[in-house]
Every structure is written in C-alpha cells, then in structure tokens.
C-alpha cells in the first residue's frame, strides 16, 4: 500500500489487527527485513511495516536525514489516524524512533529500539573500518548519513519518557560506554544484550526476538 505525505510517498505493508505496531528498518534495507517476525506477530497486532524514504518502494527524494524520516513517520501515524502506536525500529529506524519520541511523544505507546546510536563517534574503530570496506558507494547520501548523523544530546535523551526495550547484539558496532549511557539515560527502559550476535545477525534471524516483543508489548 502507498500513502502520500507532504514531501514523500511511502510504501508500507499492512497485516493483522489489534494495537498498531510499526516496523522501521535500517540503512539500505526495506520492510521485508522483518518478515519472519511480522509473520509471528500478525495475529496479535495491526502491523505496518514501512519502507523509509529513498528505500525500497518508497519515493526517491534525494533528501534524507533522521529528522525528515521522523517527520515522515509522524505524518504516517496522523494521516492514518492510528492514535497511539507501538514502534519497533532497527538501527536507522531506532534512531528515527528516538527522534519521534522527542518531538511527538504523544503518538507513542511503547518503543523497541534495536541497535541505535546517538552519534557517529559511538562506532568502534573496527566498525568504522568494516563499514568503509563493505559499502560500495561512499558518496551516497545513505552512506554519508552513517558518518555525520545522528547528533543526539544526552539532555534531550533524558527527557524521553516513553517505555522502551533497548536491544543490542553482544558484538554490536558501538562502544560499550554509549550503550551504558543510553540505558542509564532513557527513562522507563529495559536493556537486553543478545549473546553471540552482532549488529545485523539478530535482525536476519529476527523471529528469535518474538518472546521479547510479546513480553514487552
């Protein structure tokens, strides 16, 4: 399905019924990354799995940053009159959800944040080298965003009061001090480290998080 917002047309998959649960994917992915988990959750929630702007089947605008993406999701929620929603975001999607919770907390019931960071400096040196090695188009806006955004301030994060589940792989891309800071700064949050997983492996096998989703939501 498609929805036309002020500055972009977004593609989304809608399945199931019940409380709204939005899925927001990571950089260079699309909504299908969550298919295994969506399949298990669709009997419990009205699921909206969205392709972010400039990703998947959504509009290619040539303009992308986390604030625009958060505006898109707010527009999506309000145009469809979804009321309060649960949001599960991975990586870029988790950052987008954090910004949404700062700017429009009234539309969020709960949020599941999988592998967010607050600043490009949160990446370990090994992660920076790895990313530069695997990304083919170093001049793409999507690639540049990884190394210039986000720029989230601790004082703004401390104002967030939306109940959240914070998930990271044991061998994630980020420095441990950032993960600790985020867990200690966000109010009403639960941190879970997934043993043996890196930044992407638990998303590829994302149905393993089904019990955590159901328990938290």
């Amino acid at each position: 399905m498609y929805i036309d917002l002020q500055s972009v047309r977004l593609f989304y998959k809608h399945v199931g019924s019940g409380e709204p649960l939005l899925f927001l994917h990571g950089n260079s992915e699309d909504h299908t990354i969550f298919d295994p988990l969506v399949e298990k959750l669709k009997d419990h929630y009205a699921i909206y799995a969205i392709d972010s702007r400039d990703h998947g089947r959504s509009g290619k605008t040539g303009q992308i940053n986390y604030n625009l993406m958060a505006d898109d999701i707010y527009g999506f929620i309000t145009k469809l009159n979804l009321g309060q929603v649960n949001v599960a975001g991975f990586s870029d999607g988790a950052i987008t959800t954090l910004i949404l919770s700062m700017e429009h907390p009234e539309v969020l019931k709960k949020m599941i944040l999988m592998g967010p960071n607050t600043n490009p400096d949160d990446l370990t040196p090994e992660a920076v080298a790895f990313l530069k090695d695997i990304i083919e188009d170093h001049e793409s806006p999507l690639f540049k965003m990884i190394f210039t955004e986000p720029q989230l301030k601790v004082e703004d994060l401390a104002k967030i009061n939306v109940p959240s589940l914070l998930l990271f792989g044991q061998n994630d891309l980020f420095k441990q001090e950032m993960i600790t800071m985020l867990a200690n700064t966000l109010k009403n949050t639960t941190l879970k480290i997934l043993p043996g997983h890196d930044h992407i492996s638990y998303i590829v096998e994302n149905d393993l998080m089904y019990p955590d989703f159901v328990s938290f939501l």
Side-chain angles (χ1 to χ4, degrees):
M1 303 177 73
Y2 287 93
I3 184 170
D4 290 308
L5 303 178
Q6 186 172 0
S7 62
V8 68
R9 167 175 274 200
L10 294 183
F11 177 85
Y12 66 100
K13 175 182 178 180
H14 176 209
V15 294
S17 60
E19 280 190 8
L21 171 58
L22 278 57
F23 277 93
L24 308 180
H25 60 78
N27 195 301
S28 303
E29 300 166 354
D30 63 27
H31 74 279
T32 62
I33 194 75
F34 292 113
D35 279 354
L37 189 51
V38 167
E39 188 63 25
K40 286 194 170 186
L41 288 166
K42 68 181 183 181
D43 292 336
H44 308 286
Y45 300 95
I47 292 174
Y48 299 83
I50 305 168
D51 283 351
S52 300
R53 63 165 57 216
D54 289 34
H55 288 76
R57 295 161 67 181
S58 288
K60 306 303 184 284
T61 66
Q63 295 181 306
I64 186 166
N65 59 59
Y66 294 121
N67 289 95
L68 282 174
M69 293 160 78
D71 289 343
D72 292 343
I73 301 307
Y74 177 70
F76 182 94
I77 294 167
T78 53
K79 188 162 185 176
L80 291 181
N81 296 312
L82 298 180
Q84 271 200 325
V85 302
N86 303 294
V87 180
F90 167 62
S91 200
D92 281 15
I95 296 166
T96 299
T97 306
L98 277 172
I99 294 173
L100 182 65
S101 72
M102 294 176 186
E103 298 180 348
H104 301 287
E106 72 280 1
V107 302
L108 293 174
K109 183 176 181 181
K110 291 184 177 182
M111 55 186 183
I112 298 175
L113 306 168
M114 298 168 276
N117 63 305
T118 64
N119 190 286
D121 291 339
D122 297 331
L123 291 163
T124 66
E126 295 80 9
V128 172
F130 171 73
L131 289 168
K132 288 183 175 179
D133 185 54
I134 66 168
I135 297 175
E136 296 180 0
D137 183 2
H138 287 202
E139 295 303 313
S140 75
L142 297 182
F143 175 78
K144 288 183 176 179
M145 198 162 63
I146 296 173
F147 294 99
T148 58
E149 298 184 51
Q151 300 287 343
L152 305 182
K153 298 178 180 178
V154 175
E155 55 266 33
D156 293 328
L157 293 167
K159 297 175 185 176
I160 297 173
N161 202 34
V162 178
S164 59
L165 174 62
L166 192 57
L167 297 170
F168 288 94
Q170 181 183 15
N171 305 307
D172 220 306
L173 298 174
F174 310 116
K175 298 171 184 173
Q176 181 59 49
E177 52 262 39
M178 184 279 295
I179 296 174
T180 302
M181 179 278 292
L182 200 52
N184 290 338
T185 301
L186 294 176
K187 299 182 179 71
N188 296 329
T189 196
T190 299
L191 172 65
K192 180 169 183 177
I193 303 297
L194 300 169
H197 284 278
D198 56 29
H199 186 64
I200 192 68
S201 61
Y202 68 92
I203 297 301
V204 173
E205 305 173 38
N206 56 65
D207 55 338
L208 67 85
M209 293 183 288
Y210 174 76
D212 297 306
F213 269 63
V214 171
S215 175
F216 175 69
L217 294 174

